[in-house]
mmCIF file of all heavy atoms in Angstrom:
data_model
loop_
_atom_site.group_PDB
_atom_site.id
_atom_site.type_symbol
_atom_site.label_atom_id
_atom_site.label_comp_id
_atom_site.label_asym_id
_atom_site.label_seq_id
_atom_site.Cartn_x
_atom_site.Cartn_y
_atom_site.Cartn_z
ATOM 1 N N GLU O 1320 -49.969 17.437 128.324
ATOM 2 C CA GLU O 1320 -50.082 18.385 129.434
ATOM 3 C C GLU O 1320 -49.893 17.672 130.772
ATOM 4 O O GLU O 1320 -50.292 16.521 130.931
ATOM 5 C CB GLU O 1320 -51.450 19.062 129.396
ATOM 6 C CG GLU O 1320 -51.617 20.168 130.395
ATOM 7 C CD GLU O 1320 -52.872 20.990 130.164
ATOM 8 O OE1 GLU O 1320 -53.399 20.987 129.041
ATOM 9 O OE2 GLU O 1320 -53.299 21.632 131.126
ATOM 10 N N ARG O 1321 -49.306 18.374 131.724
ATOM 11 C CA ARG O 1321 -49.091 17.814 133.054
ATOM 12 C C ARG O 1321 -50.060 18.425 134.052
ATOM 13 O O ARG O 1321 -50.353 19.616 133.999
ATOM 14 C CB ARG O 1321 -47.651 18.033 133.507
ATOM 15 C CG ARG O 1321 -46.688 17.176 132.707
ATOM 16 C CD ARG O 1321 -45.319 17.184 133.285
ATOM 17 N NE ARG O 1321 -44.482 16.221 132.551
ATOM 18 C CZ ARG O 1321 -43.345 15.752 132.999
ATOM 19 N NH1 ARG O 1321 -42.882 16.153 134.159
ATOM 20 N NH2 ARG O 1321 -42.664 14.882 132.294
ATOM 21 N N VAL O 1322 -50.537 17.580 134.957
ATOM 22 C CA VAL O 1322 -51.400 17.998 136.058
ATOM 23 C C VAL O 1322 -50.775 17.451 137.346
ATOM 24 O O VAL O 1322 -49.990 16.501 137.301
ATOM 25 C CB VAL O 1322 -52.851 17.504 135.884
ATOM 26 C CG1 VAL O 1322 -53.466 18.068 134.618
ATOM 27 C CG2 VAL O 1322 -52.934 15.990 135.863
ATOM 28 N N THR O 1323 -51.126 18.040 138.465
ATOM 29 C CA THR O 1323 -50.515 17.631 139.721
ATOM 30 C C THR O 1323 -51.582 17.291 140.750
ATOM 31 O O THR O 1323 -52.511 18.068 140.966
ATOM 32 C CB THR O 1323 -49.600 18.746 140.272
ATOM 33 O OG1 THR O 1323 -48.654 19.111 139.259
ATOM 34 C CG2 THR O 1323 -48.860 18.290 141.506
ATOM 35 N N LEU O 1324 -51.420 16.137 141.361
ATOM 36 C CA LEU O 1324 -52.285 15.690 142.447
ATOM 37 C C LEU O 1324 -51.545 15.918 143.754
ATOM 38 O O LEU O 1324 -50.410 15.457 143.922
ATOM 39 C CB LEU O 1324 -52.608 14.202 142.261
ATOM 40 C CG LEU O 1324 -53.485 13.541 143.316
ATOM 41 C CD1 LEU O 1324 -54.870 14.166 143.349
ATOM 42 C CD2 LEU O 1324 -53.571 12.050 143.050
ATOM 43 N N PHE O 1325 -52.174 16.657 144.671
ATOM 44 C CA PHE O 1325 -51.592 16.965 145.979
ATOM 45 C C PHE O 1325 -52.375 16.217 147.045
ATOM 46 O O PHE O 1325 -53.611 16.225 147.024
ATOM 47 C CB PHE O 1325 -51.692 18.467 146.291
ATOM 48 C CG PHE O 1325 -50.990 19.351 145.308
ATOM 49 C CD1 PHE O 1325 -51.668 19.859 144.215
ATOM 50 C CD2 PHE O 1325 -49.660 19.683 145.489
ATOM 51 C CE1 PHE O 1325 -51.026 20.685 143.303
ATOM 52 C CE2 PHE O 1325 -49.015 20.505 144.590
ATOM 53 C CZ PHE O 1325 -49.696 21.004 143.488
ATOM 54 N N PHE O 1326 -51.665 15.580 147.991
ATOM 55 C CA PHE O 1326 -52.335 14.920 149.100
ATOM 56 C C PHE O 1326 -51.333 14.686 150.224
ATOM 57 O O PHE O 1326 -50.137 14.911 150.065
ATOM 58 C CB PHE O 1326 -52.980 13.589 148.664
ATOM 59 C CG PHE O 1326 -52.012 12.572 148.127
ATOM 60 C CD1 PHE O 1326 -51.492 11.590 148.938
ATOM 61 C CD2 PHE O 1326 -51.641 12.598 146.784
ATOM 62 C CE1 PHE O 1326 -50.612 10.647 148.439
ATOM 63 C CE2 PHE O 1326 -50.770 11.658 146.272
ATOM 64 C CZ PHE O 1326 -50.242 10.684 147.111
ATOM 65 N N VAL O 1327 -51.849 14.242 151.354
ATOM 66 C CA VAL O 1327 -51.003 13.877 152.490
ATOM 67 C C VAL O 1327 -51.076 12.358 152.614
ATOM 68 O O VAL O 1327 -52.163 11.788 152.705
ATOM 69 C CB VAL O 1327 -51.476 14.558 153.792
ATOM 70 C CG1 VAL O 1327 -50.681 14.072 154.985
ATOM 71 C CG2 VAL O 1327 -51.372 16.074 153.659
ATOM 72 N N ASN O 1328 -49.922 11.702 152.597
ATOM 73 C CA ASN O 1328 -49.875 10.253 152.731
ATOM 74 C C ASN O 1328 -50.431 9.868 154.092
ATOM 75 O O ASN O 1328 -49.969 10.358 155.126
ATOM 76 C CB ASN O 1328 -48.432 9.758 152.565
ATOM 77 C CG ASN O 1328 -48.319 8.271 152.696
ATOM 78 O OD1 ASN O 1328 -48.346 7.731 153.796
ATOM 79 N ND2 ASN O 1328 -48.185 7.608 151.566
ATOM 80 N N SER O 1329 -51.421 8.988 154.096
ATOM 81 C CA SER O 1329 -52.114 8.657 155.339
ATOM 82 C C SER O 1329 -51.291 7.777 156.270
ATOM 83 O O SER O 1329 -51.528 7.758 157.474
ATOM 84 C CB SER O 1329 -53.448 7.982 155.030
ATOM 85 O OG SER O 1329 -53.228 6.778 154.316
ATOM 86 N N ILE O 1330 -50.326 7.052 155.746
ATOM 87 C CA ILE O 1330 -49.502 6.190 156.595
ATOM 88 C C ILE O 1330 -48.424 6.998 157.312
ATOM 89 O O ILE O 1330 -48.219 6.867 158.515
ATOM 90 C CB ILE O 1330 -48.852 5.065 155.762
ATOM 91 C CG1 ILE O 1330 -49.938 4.186 155.148
ATOM 92 C CG2 ILE O 1330 -47.896 4.236 156.611
ATOM 93 C CD1 ILE O 1330 -49.423 3.194 154.118
ATOM 94 N N TYR O 1331 -47.727 7.853 156.544
ATOM 95 C CA TYR O 1331 -46.590 8.592 157.088
ATOM 96 C C TYR O 1331 -46.896 10.052 157.396
ATOM 97 O O TYR O 1331 -46.016 10.784 157.838
ATOM 98 C CB TYR O 1331 -45.400 8.495 156.122
ATOM 99 C CG TYR O 1331 -44.988 7.060 155.895
ATOM 100 C CD1 TYR O 1331 -45.251 6.440 154.681
ATOM 101 C CD2 TYR O 1331 -44.360 6.329 156.903
ATOM 102 C CE1 TYR O 1331 -44.884 5.113 154.470
ATOM 103 C CE2 TYR O 1331 -43.998 5.012 156.705
ATOM 104 C CZ TYR O 1331 -44.266 4.407 155.486
ATOM 105 O OH TYR O 1331 -43.913 3.102 155.282
ATOM 106 N N ASN O 1332 -48.127 10.482 157.119
ATOM 107 C CA ASN O 1332 -48.556 11.855 157.372
ATOM 108 C C ASN O 1332 -47.597 12.873 156.755
ATOM 109 O O ASN O 1332 -47.215 13.860 157.375
ATOM 110 C CB ASN O 1332 -48.705 12.097 158.876
ATOM 111 C CG ASN O 1332 -49.598 13.287 159.166
ATOM 112 O OD1 ASN O 1332 -50.524 13.573 158.408
ATOM 113 N ND2 ASN O 1332 -49.337 13.985 160.253
ATOM 114 N N ALA O 1333 -47.205 12.602 155.509
ATOM 115 C CA ALA O 1333 -46.258 13.464 154.791
ATOM 116 C C ALA O 1333 -46.902 13.982 153.506
ATOM 117 O O ALA O 1333 -47.651 13.252 152.846
ATOM 118 C CB ALA O 1333 -44.992 12.683 154.462
ATOM 119 N N PRO O 1334 -46.613 15.231 153.138
ATOM 120 C CA PRO O 1334 -47.176 15.769 151.893
ATOM 121 C C PRO O 1334 -46.558 15.073 150.672
ATOM 122 O O PRO O 1334 -45.374 14.751 150.660
ATOM 123 C CB PRO O 1334 -46.792 17.246 151.934
ATOM 124 C CG PRO O 1334 -45.610 17.311 152.836
ATOM 125 C CD PRO O 1334 -45.758 16.200 153.823
ATOM 126 N N VAL O 1335 -47.407 14.858 149.658
ATOM 127 C CA VAL O 1335 -46.980 14.189 148.425
ATOM 128 C C VAL O 1335 -47.567 14.942 147.241
ATOM 129 O O VAL O 1335 -48.715 15.390 147.287
ATOM 130 C CB VAL O 1335 -47.455 12.716 148.379
ATOM 131 C CG1 VAL O 1335 -47.021 12.039 147.098
ATOM 132 C CG2 VAL O 1335 -46.981 11.948 149.590
ATOM 133 N N GLU O 1336 -46.775 15.074 146.200
ATOM 134 C CA GLU O 1336 -47.248 15.589 144.909
ATOM 135 C C GLU O 1336 -46.962 14.509 143.877
ATOM 136 O O GLU O 1336 -45.839 14.035 143.764
ATOM 137 C CB GLU O 1336 -46.501 16.859 144.508
ATOM 138 C CG GLU O 1336 -46.730 18.038 145.393
ATOM 139 C CD GLU O 1336 -45.951 19.264 144.920
ATOM 140 O OE1 GLU O 1336 -45.506 19.300 143.755
ATOM 141 O OE2 GLU O 1336 -45.769 20.170 145.737
ATOM 142 N N GLU O 1337 -47.979 14.132 143.139
ATOM 143 C CA GLU O 1337 -47.807 13.229 142.012
ATOM 144 C C GLU O 1337 -48.020 14.036 140.744
ATOM 145 O O GLU O 1337 -49.084 14.627 140.555
ATOM 146 C CB GLU O 1337 -48.802 12.065 142.060
ATOM 147 C CG GLU O 1337 -48.546 11.100 143.181
ATOM 148 C CD GLU O 1337 -49.497 9.910 143.165
ATOM 149 O OE1 GLU O 1337 -50.457 9.890 142.362
ATOM 150 O OE2 GLU O 1337 -49.278 8.985 143.974
ATOM 151 N N VAL O 1338 -47.011 14.081 139.893
ATOM 152 C CA VAL O 1338 -47.111 14.798 138.624
ATOM 153 C C VAL O 1338 -47.553 13.786 137.573
ATOM 154 O O VAL O 1338 -46.881 12.780 137.340
ATOM 155 C CB VAL O 1338 -45.770 15.460 138.238
ATOM 156 C CG1 VAL O 1338 -45.892 16.151 136.896
ATOM 157 C CG2 VAL O 1338 -45.338 16.435 139.320
ATOM 158 N N LEU O 1339 -48.698 14.059 136.980
ATOM 159 C CA LEU O 1339 -49.298 13.162 135.998
ATOM 160 C C LEU O 1339 -49.243 13.820 134.626
ATOM 161 O O LEU O 1339 -49.471 15.028 134.503
ATOM 162 C CB LEU O 1339 -50.750 12.869 136.365
ATOM 163 C CG LEU O 1339 -50.994 12.379 137.800
ATOM 164 C CD1 LEU O 1339 -52.470 12.446 138.137
ATOM 165 C CD2 LEU O 1339 -50.466 10.972 137.955
ATOM 166 N N GLU O 1340 -48.976 13.036 133.615
ATOM 167 C CA GLU O 1340 -48.968 13.543 132.247
ATOM 168 C C GLU O 1340 -50.186 12.978 131.528
ATOM 169 O O GLU O 1340 -50.412 11.770 131.537
ATOM 170 C CB GLU O 1340 -47.689 13.114 131.535
ATOM 171 C CG GLU O 1340 -47.536 13.725 130.155
ATOM 172 C CD GLU O 1340 -46.192 13.381 129.549
ATOM 173 O OE1 GLU O 1340 -45.224 14.131 129.807
ATOM 174 O OE2 GLU O 1340 -46.119 12.358 128.853
ATOM 175 N N VAL O 1341 -50.966 13.873 130.936
ATOM 176 C CA VAL O 1341 -52.146 13.461 130.182
ATOM 177 C C VAL O 1341 -51.713 13.184 128.753
ATOM 178 O O VAL O 1341 -51.191 14.071 128.077
ATOM 179 C CB VAL O 1341 -53.238 14.556 130.218
ATOM 180 C CG1 VAL O 1341 -54.434 14.141 129.387
ATOM 181 C CG2 VAL O 1341 -53.639 14.864 131.644
ATOM 182 N N ARG O 1342 -51.902 11.956 128.327
ATOM 183 C CA ARG O 1342 -51.608 11.568 126.949
ATOM 184 C C ARG O 1342 -52.907 11.177 126.272
ATOM 185 O O ARG O 1342 -53.951 11.087 126.912
ATOM 186 C CB ARG O 1342 -50.628 10.394 126.917
ATOM 187 C CG ARG O 1342 -49.261 10.765 127.462
ATOM 188 C CD ARG O 1342 -48.286 9.649 127.270
ATOM 189 N NE ARG O 1342 -46.984 9.988 127.840
ATOM 190 C CZ ARG O 1342 -46.037 9.115 128.073
ATOM 191 N NH1 ARG O 1342 -46.214 7.834 127.782
ATOM 192 N NH2 ARG O 1342 -44.892 9.502 128.595
ATOM 193 N N GLN O 1343 -52.834 10.926 124.993
ATOM 194 C CA GLN O 1343 -54.020 10.500 124.262
ATOM 195 C C GLN O 1343 -54.455 9.137 124.798
ATOM 196 O O GLN O 1343 -53.800 8.137 124.588
ATOM 197 C CB GLN O 1343 -53.698 10.412 122.760
ATOM 198 C CG GLN O 1343 -54.895 10.572 121.867
ATOM 199 C CD GLN O 1343 -55.452 11.976 121.900
ATOM 200 O OE1 GLN O 1343 -54.726 12.954 122.060
ATOM 201 N NE2 GLN O 1343 -56.753 12.091 121.765
ATOM 202 N N GLY O 1344 -55.552 9.099 125.554
ATOM 203 C CA GLY O 1344 -56.095 7.851 126.063
ATOM 204 C C GLY O 1344 -55.411 7.285 127.292
ATOM 205 O O GLY O 1344 -55.717 6.169 127.704
ATOM 206 N N ALA O 1345 -54.488 8.009 127.916
ATOM 207 C CA ALA O 1345 -53.800 7.472 129.087
ATOM 208 C C ALA O 1345 -53.323 8.586 130.013
ATOM 209 O O ALA O 1345 -53.053 9.698 129.580
ATOM 210 C CB ALA O 1345 -52.607 6.617 128.663
ATOM 211 N N ILE O 1346 -53.219 8.233 131.271
ATOM 212 C CA ILE O 1346 -52.621 9.097 132.286
ATOM 213 C C ILE O 1346 -51.344 8.399 132.741
ATOM 214 O O ILE O 1346 -51.363 7.202 133.052
ATOM 215 C CB ILE O 1346 -53.582 9.312 133.470
ATOM 216 C CG1 ILE O 1346 -54.873 9.986 132.984
ATOM 217 C CG2 ILE O 1346 -52.917 10.131 134.566
ATOM 218 C CD1 ILE O 1346 -55.971 10.039 134.029
ATOM 219 N N VAL O 1347 -50.244 9.141 132.771
ATOM 220 C CA VAL O 1347 -48.945 8.553 133.097
ATOM 221 C C VAL O 1347 -48.377 9.275 134.320
ATOM 222 O O VAL O 1347 -48.307 10.506 134.339
ATOM 223 C CB VAL O 1347 -47.972 8.667 131.896
ATOM 224 C CG1 VAL O 1347 -46.609 8.090 132.257
ATOM 225 C CG2 VAL O 1347 -48.550 7.986 130.668
ATOM 226 N N LEU O 1348 -47.978 8.501 135.322
ATOM 227 C CA LEU O 1348 -47.322 9.059 136.501
ATOM 228 C C LEU O 1348 -45.876 9.345 136.138
ATOM 229 O O LEU O 1348 -45.124 8.442 135.792
ATOM 230 C CB LEU O 1348 -47.398 8.083 137.677
ATOM 231 C CG LEU O 1348 -46.732 8.502 138.985
ATOM 232 C CD1 LEU O 1348 -47.321 9.814 139.505
ATOM 233 C CD2 LEU O 1348 -46.883 7.400 140.018
ATOM 234 N N LYS O 1349 -45.478 10.631 136.176
ATOM 235 C CA LYS O 1349 -44.144 11.050 135.743
ATOM 236 C C LYS O 1349 -43.195 11.351 136.896
ATOM 237 O O LYS O 1349 -42.001 11.125 136.783
ATOM 238 C CB LYS O 1349 -44.242 12.292 134.839
ATOM 239 C CG LYS O 1349 -44.995 12.075 133.543
ATOM 240 C CD LYS O 1349 -44.347 11.032 132.673
ATOM 241 C CE LYS O 1349 -43.130 11.578 131.985
ATOM 242 N NZ LYS O 1349 -42.528 10.629 131.049
ATOM 243 N N GLU O 1350 -43.705 11.917 137.989
ATOM 244 C CA GLU O 1350 -42.846 12.290 139.123
ATOM 245 C C GLU O 1350 -43.592 12.113 140.428
ATOM 246 O O GLU O 1350 -44.808 12.288 140.479
ATOM 247 C CB GLU O 1350 -42.430 13.766 139.052
ATOM 248 C CG GLU O 1350 -41.420 14.116 138.040
ATOM 249 C CD GLU O 1350 -41.047 15.600 138.087
ATOM 250 O OE1 GLU O 1350 -41.538 16.354 138.958
ATOM 251 O OE2 GLU O 1350 -40.250 16.003 137.235
ATOM 252 N N VAL O 1351 -42.830 11.815 141.451
ATOM 253 C CA VAL O 1351 -43.338 11.826 142.817
ATOM 254 C C VAL O 1351 -42.437 12.778 143.591
ATOM 255 O O VAL O 1351 -41.214 12.677 143.523
ATOM 256 C CB VAL O 1351 -43.293 10.415 143.447
ATOM 257 C CG1 VAL O 1351 -43.728 10.474 144.902
ATOM 258 C CG2 VAL O 1351 -44.160 9.448 142.666
ATOM 259 N N ARG O 1352 -43.076 13.700 144.314
ATOM 260 C CA ARG O 1352 -42.328 14.679 145.107
ATOM 261 C C ARG O 1352 -42.793 14.590 146.558
ATOM 262 O O ARG O 1352 -43.988 14.675 146.828
ATOM 263 C CB ARG O 1352 -42.580 16.087 144.591
ATOM 264 C CG ARG O 1352 -42.184 16.307 143.153
ATOM 265 C CD ARG O 1352 -42.599 17.689 142.698
ATOM 266 N NE ARG O 1352 -42.348 17.863 141.279
ATOM 267 C CZ ARG O 1352 -42.951 18.768 140.531
ATOM 268 N NH1 ARG O 1352 -43.830 19.590 141.067
ATOM 269 N NH2 ARG O 1352 -42.668 18.853 139.253
ATOM 270 N N THR O 1353 -41.856 14.432 147.447
ATOM 271 C CA THR O 1353 -42.155 14.416 148.875
ATOM 272 C C THR O 1353 -40.858 14.568 149.657
ATOM 273 O O THR O 1353 -39.813 14.081 149.214
ATOM 274 C CB THR O 1353 -42.879 13.124 149.306
ATOM 275 O OG1 THR O 1353 -43.189 13.194 150.709
ATOM 276 C CG2 THR O 1353 -42.055 11.893 149.026
ATOM 277 N N PRO O 1354 -40.899 15.217 150.803
ATOM 278 C CA PRO O 1354 -39.691 15.305 151.631
ATOM 279 C C PRO O 1354 -39.467 14.044 152.461
ATOM 280 O O PRO O 1354 -38.438 13.918 153.116
ATOM 281 C CB PRO O 1354 -39.981 16.510 152.531
ATOM 282 C CG PRO O 1354 -41.470 16.560 152.633
ATOM 283 C CD PRO O 1354 -41.983 16.063 151.316
ATOM 284 N N SER O 1355 -40.398 13.096 152.418
ATOM 285 C CA SER O 1355 -40.339 11.921 153.285
ATOM 286 C C SER O 1355 -39.644 10.731 152.616
ATOM 287 O O SER O 1355 -40.153 10.186 151.636
ATOM 288 C CB SER O 1355 -41.755 11.513 153.687
ATOM 289 O OG SER O 1355 -41.761 10.257 154.311
ATOM 290 N N PRO O 1356 -38.509 10.276 153.156
ATOM 291 C CA PRO O 1356 -37.867 9.065 152.634
ATOM 292 C C PRO O 1356 -38.767 7.833 152.773
ATOM 293 O O PRO O 1356 -38.743 6.942 151.936
ATOM 294 C CB PRO O 1356 -36.603 8.917 153.488
ATOM 295 C CG PRO O 1356 -36.346 10.272 154.059
ATOM 296 C CD PRO O 1356 -37.693 10.911 154.198
ATOM 297 N N ALA O 1357 -39.588 7.784 153.828
ATOM 298 C CA ALA O 1357 -40.485 6.644 154.025
ATOM 299 C C ALA O 1357 -41.525 6.557 152.907
ATOM 300 O O ALA O 1357 -41.840 5.465 152.422
ATOM 301 C CB ALA O 1357 -41.169 6.747 155.384
ATOM 302 N N VAL O 1358 -42.046 7.688 152.468
ATOM 303 C CA VAL O 1358 -43.008 7.689 151.363
ATOM 304 C C VAL O 1358 -42.317 7.250 150.079
ATOM 305 O O VAL O 1358 -42.869 6.467 149.298
ATOM 306 C CB VAL O 1358 -43.672 9.079 151.194
ATOM 307 C CG1 VAL O 1358 -44.501 9.136 149.923
ATOM 308 C CG2 VAL O 1358 -44.534 9.408 152.404
#
Side-chain angles (χ1 to χ4, degrees):
E1320 187 169 338
R1321 290 190 174 197
V1322 299
T1323 306
L1324 179 63
F1325 300 92
F1326 61 96
V1327 174
N1328 180 283
S1329 61
I1330 298 170
Y1331 301 108
N1332 201 31
V1335 179
E1336 295 180 17
E1337 291 183 353
V1338 178
L1339 308 166
E1340 186 174 273
V1341 178
R1342 294 187 182 165
Q1343 205 69 33
I1346 299 171
V1347 178
L1348 179 59
K1349 297 299 283 184
E1350 286 182 3
V1351 176
R1352 300 174 186 159
T1353 182
S1355 169
V1358 171

